[in-house]
Amino acid sequence: MTLNFLLKINDKTFHIFTYIRLPSISLSIIALVSTCQFLWVTSPRDHFYFELFGTILAGILAFYYLSRAQTLNDKFSLFIGIGFLVNALIDLLHATVSLLNMNDILFLKYFIPQTWFAGRLFLSAMLAIAIVKYVSFSSIYPSTQQLQQQQKSSNMNTNKNNENKLSRLLLLYLIIVTLFSSVLAISSLYVILPFSVIDNIPIHRPYEIFPLTLFLFSLYYFYKNGIYKNKDVFYTSLAISIIFDIFGQIIMSYSAQHFDTAHNIAHVLKDGSYFINIIGLALSSIQYNIGFRENNDRLRESNERLRESNELLTIQYGKVKESEKMQKEFINTAAHELRNPIQPIIGLTEAIYSNVKDEKQLEILEIIIRNAQRLKRLTDNLLDITKIESQSLMLNKEKFNLNILISEVLKDYVGKQKKQQKVKIVYDFNHKEDIIIEADRDRLVQVIHNLLDNALKFTTYNQQMIFVIIGKKNEGKEDEEVIVSVKDTGEGISDKILSTLFTKFATSDSTTGTGLGLYICKNIIEAHGGRIWAENNSDENGATFIFTLPIAE
């Protein structure tokens, strides 16, 4: 039902002002609240996380748009992709330098506004150029008239001289804006621009007016060029994201000092704009596939005149297939590209950590290490998901004693947890003799670690105990199995979550997480011929996760 509602959002009767007015009302209220300077004041570290999250989202958008531009030869996607790429690099510089110089208040007062302005100016300029000159009007549900117009236009001779002249002019604009934004961002390390921050007037950051003007200009041409008539849901999300950017610039313009209410809300709106754009692209891919099938059915029922559009339809079909392939490769490539720099970051940070004695610097390094390790786990999960869904998850099976493996895993796990959180793991081997199984040792370690992490997450502060129990099922029979239970002392699992716990992206309302770990565990256990499930404890104190594996002959 939700998907159908989102896909119907682009009906012809749904005018652009409808989906401009609705978010604008809410954002106007937020803008008024943002005038209270000390309502939400954060720290430099919070600002770093805002910008790091925005940098990751901008990088994802840049990769997607540039891939789409290369695949479809789409200049609209090319310009927006370049905009997000350069903006991500400037945001990364902005976040890193701000964190490293968080004690230099005078420097940050001018560096933060100037680099923010540089990134937003470049992105707004690229967006304006793309919308004014290069937006694609090809609907994913092309009508008979549109197909005939496209076919007719493909046979028309265009004025190549004018087109080349326009391309050279836009390329010149691109070079100028790129150089200006890059020079502005780098020079902000040493130069204070005149009037970048003015303390005695309501608009404390007047330079924000320039990107604000470009965002308004983009929204105006979005309506003037009739882009809202396109049935692709991506264009709806693009309009809403521009509205978020407009209000973000307005709110940022009256930020009196860094990390105050307006400053923080503007960052949230910027990240929200990126997120809406990503959601629009994802829904567009779904809509593209659904729309193509519906269009194909209509074409089969059309009259003889539609035969002239068969060649165009074949090209569109090829683009659909390429889009599907690009979508699958995108997740895999993005996970690999995110994973490659993580290990050097962890290694180098740990090397620096061992030589640093200042407590504040140690705290910062611990934050970097902890979040880098969390990002590494996330990328590992994404790679496992791609292997599972492409049915390429390989198991290196060998025979070993499960009692010994679990004992080693528990000892290592408790040792690693001592630094951060006291936890008592009680394990009970109902069968002291060897339990020999044939399985992939590393994958089983991954499953046990995930279940322990999950149990620790739900365990209460006063009763930090986890019980691990190993036994046998159907002992002495042909289908003899080993059964492993991991029991926590938390609040249990709601019935609503319990039924979908091992599905992809399923998470509890009370915890954070991606919802991938248990899904991966389920696939690993089932690949070994076992089963995995969860149930609430009979004493209503916590839950137990259980998996079984066949015992080797």
Side-chain angles (χ1 to χ4, degrees), residues 399-411 427-438 441 444-445 448 468-472 481-485 547 549 551:
K399 289 186 178 181
F400 56 88
N401 188 343
L402 185 61
N403 280 343
I404 297 177
L405 176 71
I406 293 182
S407 298
E408 294 173 351
V409 171
L410 296 181
K411 290 176 183 177
Y427 53 98
D428 179 20
F429 297 101
N430 289 338
H431 290 263
K432 302 297 183 182
E433 71 273 11
D434 294 344
I435 298 179
I436 306 300
I437 65 170
E438 186 175 4
R441 182 187 296 266
L444 282 189
V445 171
I448 297 168
V468 180
I469 304 170
I470 303 174
K472 286 185 177 180
E481 293 178 316
V482 60
I483 181 166
V484 181
S485 304
F547 69 85
L549 292 171
I551 294 179

Side-chain angles (χ1 to χ4, degrees), residues 419-551:
K419 293 182 181 179
Q420 298 175 8
Q421 186 173 11
K422 295 292 184 182
V423 58
K424 183 177 181 182
I425 297 181
V426 179
Y427 53 98
D428 179 20
F429 297 101
N430 289 338
H431 290 263
K432 302 297 183 182
E433 71 273 11
D434 294 344
I435 298 179
I436 306 300
I437 65 170
E438 186 175 4
D440 188 319
R441 182 187 296 266
D442 293 334
R443 288 297 182 182
L444 282 189
V445 171
Q446 181 182 357
V447 170
I448 297 168
H449 266 282
N450 272 335
L451 294 182
L452 290 172
D453 287 340
N454 188 74
L456 181 63
K457 185 164 53 177
F458 284 95
T459 301
T460 60
Y461 181 77
N462 295 326
Q463 292 180 312
Q464 293 184 3
M465 297 180 66
I466 299 173
F467 299 89
V468 180
I469 304 170
I470 303 174
K472 286 185 177 180
K473 185 179 180 183
N474 301 329
E475 190 171 1
K477 298 181 179 179
E478 252 184 62
D479 55 348
E480 186 178 9
E481 293 178 316
V482 60
I483 181 166
V484 181
S485 304
V486 179
K487 177 181 177 182
D488 63 63
T489 55
E491 58 185 18
I493 306 170
S494 67
D495 294 336
K496 180 180 68 174
I497 299 297
L498 193 59
S499 60
T500 60
L501 194 60
F502 291 93
T503 59
K504 191 163 54 174
F505 304 123
T507 58
S508 171
D509 296 335
S510 60
T511 63
T512 59
T514 59
L516 299 178
L518 293 177
Y519 174 76
I520 294 172
C521 289
K522 177 178 181 291
N523 282 273
I524 291 175
I525 294 298
E526 290 181 350
H528 283 86
R531 297 177 296 116
I532 187 170
W533 69 94
E535 57 189 33
N536 287 311
N537 298 330
S538 57
D539 58 359
E540 298 183 354
N541 184 21
T544 301
F545 286 77
I546 308 162
F547 69 85
T548 65
L549 292 171
I551 294 179

